Amino acid sequence: KQAFAGKPKPGDHLAIRVGAPDGAEVPNGALPRSWRLSGPVKEAYNDAFCFVYGTVGDEAADKDLLDQARRAAREWQQFADGLPEVKPDTAVTDEDLRARNVVLFGDERTNSLVTRMRDKLPFRMENGTVRIGERTYYYKEDGLGFMICYPNPLAVNRLAVV
C-alpha cells in the first residue's frame, strides 16, 4: 500500500513505519511489531531501560549472568555517562515492566522473565541453541551470543531484549 509519492521538499521528514498498524490484530497470537516497537536492539536503549539478570540457574550461571549485567552497565556508563539499574529477575515488578524496556541476561533455563515470555516469543532458546521457525542456530559455541529485540509480552508498549 503506497503512503507517499513524489519527492520530499527541503526540510520535510519522512518516517517509515514497519509492522502492523497500531491496534491491528496479528494472527497466531504473535505480538504486533509496530513502528514504535520494531527494533533493532539499539531502540530499547532510546527509552528508560534496566538490565535484568537471571537467578534461576545454578550458582555458577547466576554469578555469570550478574557479572554480564554489571559489565554491560559499566560499558553503558562509559558510553552515555549514566548508570542503568541492574536487577535480579525475581525483583522485577509489574510496574518496572510497564515503566521500562528490559534487557534480559539469561535464557529460558536461567531467567524467569524469559521463561514467562516463552510462549509469546517467535523463537525458542534451548540448550545453547536458538530455534526460529524451522532453523536452529548454535550460539554457545566459540563464545558466540544471541540478541533479539521484540515487543515485551509482559508489558504492552515496551521492548524486551533477550
Side-chain angles (χ1 to χ4, degrees):
K1 185 174 178 181
Q2 185 174 355
F4 177 82
K7 289 185 174 183
K9 298 179 197 118
D12 281 353
H13 298 275
L14 180 63
I16 299 172
R17 296 180 181 187
V18 178
D22 290 339
E25 286 192 35
V26 178
N28 301 325
L31 295 172
R33 289 177 66 101
S34 69
W35 68 276
R36 287 186 184 99
L37 297 172
S38 62
V41 169
K42 68 181 180 179
E43 290 299 319
Y45 297 96
N46 286 338
D47 204 347
F49 68 92
C50 69
F51 292 136
V52 179
Y53 62 94
T55 61
V56 294
D58 61 30
E59 189 175 331
D62 293 352
K63 182 183 179 320
D64 182 53
L65 295 173
L66 172 58
D67 290 346
Q68 288 178 41
R70 285 179 173 163
R71 183 174 53 247
R74 285 190 307 271
E75 290 171 359
W76 181 260
Q77 184 179 30
Q78 290 173 347
F79 171 74
D81 196 25
L83 190 61
E85 186 172 11
V86 175
K87 293 184 92 162
D89 55 353
T90 54
V92 174
T93 66
D94 289 341
E95 178 56 33
D96 289 330
L97 295 172
R98 284 189 297 272
R100 299 184 265 184
N101 297 326
V102 289
V103 179
L104 304 172
F105 293 82
D107 60 20
E108 295 169 358
R109 295 172 295 126
T110 58
N111 190 308
S112 63
L113 291 181
V114 178
T115 304
R116 287 175 55 195
M117 295 176 184
R118 177 186 174 128
D119 293 336
K120 297 242 180 174
L121 296 172
F123 57 88
R124 287 281 190 260
M125 299 171 67
E126 299 168 339
N127 300 321
T129 67
V130 176
R131 193 173 68 236
I132 303 173
E134 300 299 316
R135 301 195 67 179
T136 299
Y137 303 90
Y138 296 89
Y139 70 91
K140 288 280 183 167
E141 296 177 0
D142 299 323
L144 298 176
F146 167 77
M147 288 181 82
I148 190 169
C149 185
Y150 195 70
N152 186 339
L154 306 177
V156 177
N157 297 322
R158 289 293 174 186
L159 293 168
V161 176
V162 180

